[in-house]
Amino acid sequence: MRLTFAGTSDVGRKRTHNEDAYLLLPEESLCCVADGMGGHASGEVAARIAVEEMAEFFRLTGRDDEATWPFKLDAARSPDENRLLTSVKLANLRIFERAATDQRLRGMGTTLVAASFPKAGQHVLVGHVGDSRAYLWRRGALRQLTEDHSLLNDYRKTRALTPEEVQAFPHKNVIVRALGMKDVVDVDLVREPLEDGDVLLLCSDGLSGMVPDARIAEVVRASAGEIRHAAQVLVDEANAAGGVDNVTCVLAHVRV
């Protein structure tokens, strides 16, 4: 596979600082989006720790086959799956430890969605915690790969909600799983086969909550593979719709 990455982040129209962070690490075929929470500057700290720890672990394990891993491997998982899961768990632990030693950062956390493209095989691995999302665009259609770890999504599993009820839901932004909440975290993992021309999109809810999926699909289609342009247009669309949150997106274009 040949991969092209692009990403951008914007503070939006309502916030005073940006608590999102993203990572593009093409040498390890890795990209991530994190959406920090906790108020003041602590969400920004948590998101930054998440992407920095992901990058450090992938760089270390990419150049040293004998590197010590901090968690026991899951025998039911492939080495590439274990690598992604371990990196997210390590990021979670580092955030939790930092918050425990700095009173100013107590309660901080972050969502994380990360995509790893193994060298062997024609697929992507997506690990995620929280409500930042991964989408796959293929031949004009956009499909969500991740499931939000949110109170709204949990509620929707128990009953069907109309679009109006979703909009009026009083706790839409409550996250039920995030990095930094505990010293251990459950990480969802998706393995998705890829085809030539596919585009993977990772984003914070500042994009997915403001721009309908159909419009996201249209922007990616119209970009004709120019994903850097598509990333900026998507951010502009979220801001034009109100920009009530920080907006971050990362795209990876696949050529086979």
Side-chain angles (χ1 to χ4, degrees):
M1 286 189 300
R2 300 190 309 276
L3 301 168
T4 305
F5 295 97
T8 190
S9 186
D10 190 85
V11 69
R13 296 286 176 83
K14 305 295 184 181
R15 301 293 178 90
T16 57
H17 64 285
N18 194 345
E19 293 189 328
D20 288 359
Y22 71 93
L23 170 70
L24 304 179
L25 194 66
E27 63 268 30
E28 295 295 341
S29 300
L30 176 72
C31 56
C32 311
V33 166
D35 180 355
M37 61 194 78
H40 304 294
S42 58
E44 182 180 350
V45 173
R48 187 174 67 248
I49 292 173
V51 298
E52 289 176 352
E53 288 294 334
M54 295 287 295
E56 182 176 346
F57 185 77
F58 263 74
R59 288 191 180 107
L60 174 64
T61 53
R63 65 174 178 258
D64 183 1
D65 292 336
E66 301 301 319
T68 300
W69 289 29
F71 298 100
K72 184 179 179 180
L73 303 187
D74 183 346
R77 298 285 191 180
S78 70
D80 289 312
E81 290 172 337
N82 272 298
R83 186 186 190 199
L84 181 58
L85 288 171
T86 299
S87 65
V88 179
K89 292 176 182 179
L90 181 59
N92 172 76
L93 181 60
R94 293 290 182 259
I95 295 166
F96 180 82
E97 291 174 337
R98 178 72 181 278
T101 59
D102 189 334
Q103 183 65 38
R104 298 168 300 176
L105 302 177
R106 291 291 171 88
M108 74 173 177
T110 186
T111 69
L112 181 74
V113 58
S116 171
F117 300 82
K119 294 178 182 178
Q122 195 171 305
H123 62 278
V124 62
L125 300 174
V126 177
H128 95 286
V129 179
D131 66 349
S132 291
R133 293 179 178 178
Y135 291 91
L136 180 68
W137 181 92
R138 175 177 293 163
R139 296 190 294 272
L142 189 75
R143 177 164 55 93
Q144 185 177 335
L145 300 180
T146 53
E147 180 179 320
D148 295 349
H149 301 141
S150 66
L151 193 61
L152 172 59
N153 195 50
D154 285 355
Y155 192 72
R156 292 172 76 169
K157 292 177 182 178
T158 65
R159 57 167 295 186
L161 297 179
T162 67
E164 292 75 22
E165 288 174 321
V166 169
Q167 188 64 32
F169 190 75
H171 307 294
K172 268 195 302 187
N173 296 325
V174 175
I175 305 301
V176 297
R177 200 191 309 177
L179 300 191
M181 296 174 71
K182 301 177 182 179
D183 59 344
V184 294
V185 67
D186 290 328
V187 184
D188 285 4
L189 184 69
V190 176
R191 183 186 187 276
E192 184 70 25
L194 294 173
E195 298 180 5
D196 184 55
D198 284 352
V199 176
L200 188 80
L201 166 67
L202 309 182
C203 66
S204 63
D205 65 339
L207 174 62
S208 59
M210 300 301 297
V211 183
D213 288 3
R215 179 55 185 154
I216 293 175
E218 172 60 23
V219 169
V220 176
R221 185 201 64 78
S223 72
E226 294 294 333
I227 57 173
R228 181 172 284 105
H229 175 69
Q232 187 58 55
V233 172
L234 289 172
V235 168
D236 292 344
E237 291 269 342
N239 281 330
V244 298
D245 200 352
N246 308 144
V247 191
T248 302
C249 66
V250 163
L251 297 102
H253 185 220
V254 179
R255 300 310 304 265
V256 177

